[in-house]
Amino acid sequence: MTQSAASPVRRQVVTPTRVVAGICLIAPFVAMLWVSSYAKIEPTLIGIPFFYWYQMLWVLISTALTTLAYKLVQREQRARKGGADQ
């Protein structure tokens, strides 16, 4: 299979920004899979056991981390396109 000159092979480059974005996306999975760290009742928060409010807190944290990862990758892609045009 030959490549035409119009479609050059674009290789994905591992950059520090992408590593940080990957860590942001993996952190919630690690936190939720490590059940022994939050499988307890105390401390309670307004009567809600730790087990439940910790998981709900990670919903908010996951949202923030996913948004951060998206913004980082988006900014990097814009910088690459801007650098290629010059």
Side-chain angles (χ1 to χ4, degrees):
M1 188 168 165
T2 62
Q3 297 270 335
S4 67
S7 62
V9 176
R10 298 185 78 186
R11 302 194 79 167
Q12 294 294 325
V13 178
V14 178
T15 63
T17 303
R18 289 185 184 196
V19 171
V20 170
I23 290 170
C24 287
L25 295 174
I26 290 175
F29 290 104
V30 172
M32 291 293 94
L33 289 174
W34 186 20
V35 179
S36 63
S37 70
Y38 63 92
K40 51 189 168 187
I41 296 174
E42 295 293 329
T44 60
L45 180 68
I46 56 173
I48 301 170
F50 180 73
F51 180 79
Y52 294 113
W53 69 257
Y54 178 81
Q55 291 179 60
M56 290 298 107
L57 180 63
W58 269 102
V59 170
L60 299 175
I61 294 170
S62 297
T63 302
L65 290 173
T66 302
T67 302
L68 177 63
Y70 173 75
K71 293 292 184 185
L72 287 171
V73 171
Q74 186 180 38
R75 184 180 69 177
E76 182 184 78
Q77 287 178 342
R78 268 187 280 146
R80 283 178 160 229
K81 287 180 182 176
D85 292 341
Q86 294 177 353

